[in-house]
Amino acid sequence: MFKKIICLLVFLSVIAAKASFLLVPMDESTQQNHLKAYGITFWCLEKNYKASWLLNYRGGSFLLPDAMEIRKECQIRGVSFEIISDAEQVSISNEIASPSQNMESVVLEKAPKIAVYTPKGKQPWDDAVTLVLTFAEIPFTPIYDEEVLSDQLLLYDWLHLHHEDFTGQYGKFYGAYKNVPWYIEQKKEAESLATKLGYSKVSHEKGAVVKKIRDFVIGGGFMFAMCSATDSFDISLAADGVDICEAMFDGDPSEGNYQAKMNYGSSFAFKDFTLERRPEQYEFSDIDMTSKRRVPMEKDYFTLMEFSAKWDPIPSMLCQNHTQLVKGFMGQTTAFDASLIKSNVLLMGTCELNGEARYIHGQKGKGMFTFYGGHDPEDFQHQVGDAPTVLDLHANSPGYRLILNNVLFPAARKKKLKT
């Protein structure tokens, strides 16, 4: 009889300790591949598994159900995971729910449909977002002007803007590359596409694209942009109906006194900026801090802001990381002059040493946008023609994690932003 009781107790203890959850830790010391961990979570959502994002718990960990196919997928992709029991899950939930802890558990409901705005014949230098989406094995659809102007954005939840020039000035590459074959061909292709779509100028066609993207955000879409797509997007909105292009870009002179005609009320993030008039200057406006920076490479870091996970889960999600100090990196638009950012826009990553913002977020209508300065988080000063970054060497990159935070957060059950 005694042996039977012992066996029953052992059996019950085994049942009680039965694993019901997989914890995908995102702290610095435990997770061997932070970037692919996002891909695993996205994969689970696509397969209709339940998932939770544990904000500020061990670097923003993910809680998944314990299923053999999830375990195998983690092993195949090299993602660290821990098998936890119901009792351990309850203990973690209680810790997160405690009012003394700046933590929150956010339910992830559905994998967002992702589009990347990128030219079909783009040059071989890399775009950080397409690079990390591919590495994390998160599916996306490339789209460009034809798709945007035919209202195909309605098919997607999240849109990334490739390093585009929405002003019609061809990236302001004129000064250095006007006689280079790729620049000549790029200009020719852009003019041909504008004509095909019924526009007399590339600037007019890009302006129409920008307004479609604006409407996508206002209607409830999520937009993410990096580098020159950030400030050139806002400049295009503010310059709607005003010719700011010189003759080498569109065949006729710019409009007289066009600076005074900027409508800052139309832009998403920036105000009171002054445009760069010189066509040979590799710059759009004084929004960008690149030429004003005096930060040596070894000291170039920015700090992520800390938000209340329970009260402001959206910026908390966007700032999840295993470190608050992120290595800086340059681009055509490296960072944003903090004095030119609208007061209703959140500064999420800043370099106080230089008075600049690197990472900002705002709401427009029913949707949201995030602007991230710089070209490639693991390439300090990326040059035209440089080889793409090999993400296998940077699988734990804090800078790339910020991109993937933006990819995943539209899956979250929505709570009202209170900041």
Side-chain angles (χ1 to χ4, degrees):
M1 184 68 178
F2 179 74
K3 288 183 178 180
K4 288 183 177 179
I5 292 172
I6 293 296
C7 289
L8 179 62
L9 290 174
V10 170
F11 175 76
L12 291 175
S13 67
V14 169
I15 292 294
K18 179 180 178 294
S20 295
F21 297 93
L22 297 180
L23 179 71
V24 178
M26 296 295 278
D27 50 351
E28 186 172 12
S29 59
T30 309
Q31 183 51 254
Q32 62 181 339
N33 199 317
H34 286 92
L35 304 186
K36 284 189 180 289
Y38 288 89
I40 285 289
T41 305
F42 198 96
W43 178 85
C44 288
L45 294 175
E46 287 188 306
K47 289 186 167 289
N48 297 318
Y49 283 110
K50 293 182 179 179
S52 295
W53 199 346
L54 309 183
L55 306 185
N56 295 340
Y57 178 80
R58 293 179 63 181
S61 300
F62 300 109
L63 187 67
L64 308 173
D66 182 24
M68 187 55 66
E69 68 170 340
I70 300 178
R71 292 194 195 188
K72 287 181 178 178
E73 199 65 28
C74 286
Q75 290 166 347
I76 290 169
R77 301 192 191 190
V79 172
S80 308
F81 65 92
E82 298 170 10
I83 303 166
I84 65 173
S85 66
D86 283 342
E88 289 171 312
Q89 187 272 330
V90 169
S91 176
I92 291 171
S93 294
N94 289 338
E95 179 184 355
I96 290 172
S98 170
S100 66
Q101 298 293 333
N102 184 20
M103 300 178 183
E104 181 64 298
S105 177
V106 174
V107 175
L108 301 177
E109 296 185 306
K110 184 180 178 183
K113 294 180 179 178
I114 297 172
V116 173
Y117 175 89
T118 181
K120 294 176 174 62
K122 70 177 182 180
Q123 298 299 317
W125 51 85
D126 58 315
D127 168 61
V129 175
T130 55
L131 197 66
V132 76
L133 287 173
T134 302
F135 180 77
E137 301 179 59
I138 295 175
F140 64 93
T141 303
I143 65 170
Y144 203 51
D145 294 349
E146 290 178 277
E147 290 83 1
V148 172
L149 293 173
S150 60
D151 292 323
Q152 291 186 39
L153 284 179
L154 296 173
L155 301 174
Y156 304 98
D157 304 302
W158 190 88
L159 173 69
H160 164 60
L161 305 182
H162 172 79
H163 304 232
E164 185 74 23
D165 172 8
F166 290 104
T167 70
Q169 298 176 93
Y170 307 104
K172 295 297 288 285
F173 284 121
Y174 177 79
Y177 297 101
K178 59 180 176 291
N179 296 318
V180 176
W182 68 256
Y183 177 86
I184 296 169
E185 184 62 25
Q186 183 185 73
K187 184 173 184 292
K188 181 181 176 181
E189 289 177 355
E191 290 170 344
S192 176
L193 179 59
T195 300
K196 177 184 175 182
L197 294 173
Y199 296 88
S200 60
K201 294 183 178 183
V202 172
S203 58
H204 293 170
E205 189 257 326
K206 291 297 180 185
V209 167
V210 161
K211 285 183 280 189
K212 286 286 188 181
I213 296 172
R214 174 201 63 192
D215 294 344
F216 163 77
V217 176
I218 290 173
F222 299 89
M223 183 186 81
F224 178 82
M226 286 187 73
C227 201
S228 59
T230 58
D231 49 354
S232 74
F233 180 87
D234 258 17
I235 290 168
S236 181
L237 284 174
D240 184 29
V242 181
D243 186 351
I244 64 171
C245 297
E246 301 302 337
M248 67 285 296
F249 300 127
D250 67 354
D252 58 32
S254 62
E255 194 168 319
N257 197 26
Y258 64 66
Q259 179 63 53
K261 300 174 184 178
M262 292 297 99
N263 179 7
Y264 301 115
S266 296
S267 56
F268 275 25
F270 305 114
K271 63 177 183 179
D272 304 332
F273 50 83
T274 301
L275 301 183
E276 173 54 65
R277 297 187 65 98
R278 293 169 292 176
E280 69 280 0
Q281 191 72 15
Y282 183 58
E283 187 61 275
F284 294 106
S285 75
D286 60 349
I287 293 170
D288 177 37
M289 292 291 292
T290 301
S291 63
K292 296 179 269 187
R293 307 183 88 237
R294 297 294 181 269
V295 184
M297 178 179 173
E298 63 274 11
K299 294 183 179 180
D300 196 352
Y301 288 84
F302 62 95
T303 305
L304 295 176
M305 307 294 284
E306 186 173 1
F307 297 91
S308 169
K310 291 181 171 63
W311 289 93
D312 291 319
I314 289 174
S316 293
M317 278 186 272
L318 297 179
C319 290
Q320 289 302 291
N321 227 309
H322 48 282
T323 176
Q324 277 192 280
L325 202 61
V326 181
K327 185 171 57 178
F329 54 100
M330 300 185 71
Q332 182 176 17
T333 301
T334 298
F336 318 117
D337 188 326
S339 68
L340 302 179
I341 297 174
K342 294 183 177 183
S343 60
N344 62 337
V345 174
L346 286 176
L347 308 186
M348 300 191 301
T350 62
C351 176
E352 299 297 334
L353 182 67
N354 213 40
E356 64 185 26
R358 298 295 308 254
Y359 185 47
I360 63 178
H361 176 74
Q363 186 165 353
K364 193 72 173 177
K366 297 179 181 179
M368 299 178 189
F369 65 92
T370 301
F371 288 167
Y372 190 14
H375 185 92
D376 184 326
E378 292 298 335
D379 187 346
F380 180 72
Q381 197 165 10
H382 190 87
Q383 300 292 328
V384 172
D386 282 358
T389 297
V390 178
L391 280 182
D392 281 310
L393 304 176
H394 305 285
N396 307 101
S397 167
Y400 270 102
R401 275 198 68 179
L402 297 181
I403 296 173
L404 292 175
N405 287 340
N406 282 270
V407 172
L408 199 56
F409 99 96
R413 182 178 293 167
K414 304 303 179 292
K415 292 185 179 182
K416 184 177 176 61
L417 182 66
K418 298 179 181 178
T419 295

